Every structure is written in structure tokens, then in C-alpha cells.
């Protein structure tokens, strides 16, 4: 079993259940902490292979996921696995797509859909969820 994230991990979002997920931007250098056990990558092209399990969700920059049901499945897996494993969610910059996915994950964890964007902006980064249609996507996420 993999150990959990250190509470000082950069980009760590603690969900209401106490589970933690790291959000990050793939354009930045890999952080010095241990790698995740599982990741969800939100990019327009398939990301390079990693040394850990991952799921790729096709998601163009500044837009919405190409398959919202696939995103929901990946986030449900990430939520379950984050109870005992290090999980990360990442896109190129770490703000729009990552923030949107983290807000959807917060909804799955019990935050009201209408409050999820503000929750992620307060606990992850103020820049999370960049576009109005991303905010609407979260507000409608169930």
C-alpha cells in the first residue's frame, strides 16, 4: 500500500471527507515529492507514459471534457483510490481543466455543486476553473 500525501505537498486539495488529491500543471517540472500511485490527466492529446497508473481524459484546453461520463468514472475512481493512495489530477497549466475536475470531485465528495468552484478556489488556487462554461459544467455536475 502506498502512503498518503504529506500535508505540505504543493497543490494538495483536502476534500471534506479528509481525502487528499494533488492538482498540478504538467508544463511545470515534476515536484520533488513522491510520485502518485494513480493520476487523471486532462489533455487534448494522450500524455506520455508514466511509472504509475493513469487515466487520460480527452479535454481540449479552455473547454470541457469530450466525454463527461468518462470524466465522472475517472473521478469516482480517483476519489475511491485517494482514501489509501496518492492521487493527482493534472492538465497543462493546472488551473482550468484541473480546477474544474477538482470541483467535480468535490461534488462527488459531498460539496453542493453550486459551492464547489468556490471551495476549490479557496483550498486549491484562486485561478481554478477559468472559463464560464467550466463553472456551468460544475454547477450541473451530479
Amino acid at each position: 500500500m502506498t502512503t498518503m500525501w504529506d500535508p505540505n505537498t504543493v497543490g494538495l486539495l483536502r476534500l471534506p471527507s479528509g481525502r487528499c488529491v494533488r492538482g498540478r500543471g504538467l508544463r511545470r517540472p515534476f515536484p520533488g515529492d513522491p510520485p502518485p500511485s494513480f493520476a487523471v490527466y486532462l489533455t487534448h492529446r494522450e500524455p506520455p507514459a508514466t511509472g504509475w497508473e493513469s487515466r487520460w481524459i480527452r479535454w481540449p484546453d479552455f473547454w470541457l471534457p469530450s466525454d463527461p461520463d468518462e470524466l465522472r468514472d475517472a473521478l469516482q475512481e480517483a476519489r475511491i483510490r485517494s482514501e489509501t493512495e496518492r492521487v493527482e489530477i493534472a492538465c497543462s497549466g493546472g488551473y482550468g481543466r484541473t480546477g474544474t475536475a477538482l470541483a467535480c470531485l468535490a461534488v462527488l465528495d459531498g460539496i453542493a455543486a453550486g459551492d464547489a468552484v468556490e471551495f476549490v478556489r479557496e483550498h486549491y488556487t484562486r485561478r481554478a476553473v477559468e472559463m464560464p462554461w467550466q463553472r456551468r459544467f460544475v454547477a450541473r455536475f451530479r
Side-chain angles (χ1 to χ4, degrees):
M1 179 166 85
T2 305
T3 59
M4 302 297 291
W5 291 112
D6 178 307
N8 299 315
T9 299
V10 174
L12 195 66
L13 175 69
R14 182 175 299 280
L15 295 164
S17 64
R19 293 174 168 96
C20 294
V21 176
R22 176 175 65 190
R24 76 176 180 102
L26 297 170
R27 286 192 305 245
R28 292 190 287 283
F30 191 81
D33 51 20
S37 310
F38 177 72
V40 178
Y41 294 121
L42 316 164
T43 56
H44 67 285
R45 287 190 205 123
E46 189 169 4
T50 61
W52 49 87
E53 281 187 73
S54 66
R55 286 187 63 179
W56 169 50
I57 305 300
R58 185 182 304 275
W59 191 333
D61 202 7
F62 298 108
W63 291 100
L64 297 173
S66 298
D67 186 339
D69 291 332
E70 187 178 10
L71 173 68
R72 176 184 310 285
D73 289 346
L75 293 178
Q76 287 174 333
E77 181 177 358
R79 183 177 177 278
I80 290 165
R81 293 180 74 158
S82 68
E83 187 170 5
T84 59
E85 300 177 54
R86 289 187 303 268
V87 172
E88 82 172 3
I89 296 177
C91 66
S92 295
Y95 301 110
R97 293 170 284 185
T98 296
T100 302
L102 288 172
C104 291
L105 185 62
V107 171
L108 293 174
D109 203 60
I111 294 284
D115 299 331
V117 170
E118 190 53 40
F119 175 82
V120 170
R121 286 179 174 171
E122 181 178 337
H123 297 283
Y124 171 62
T125 179
R126 296 297 310 159
R127 294 179 59 190
V129 193
E130 296 172 305
M131 308 308 293
W133 44 89
Q134 291 173 335
R135 288 191 295 277
R136 283 192 299 273
F137 181 82
V138 173
R140 295 176 182 148
F141 191 82
R142 303 281 180 255

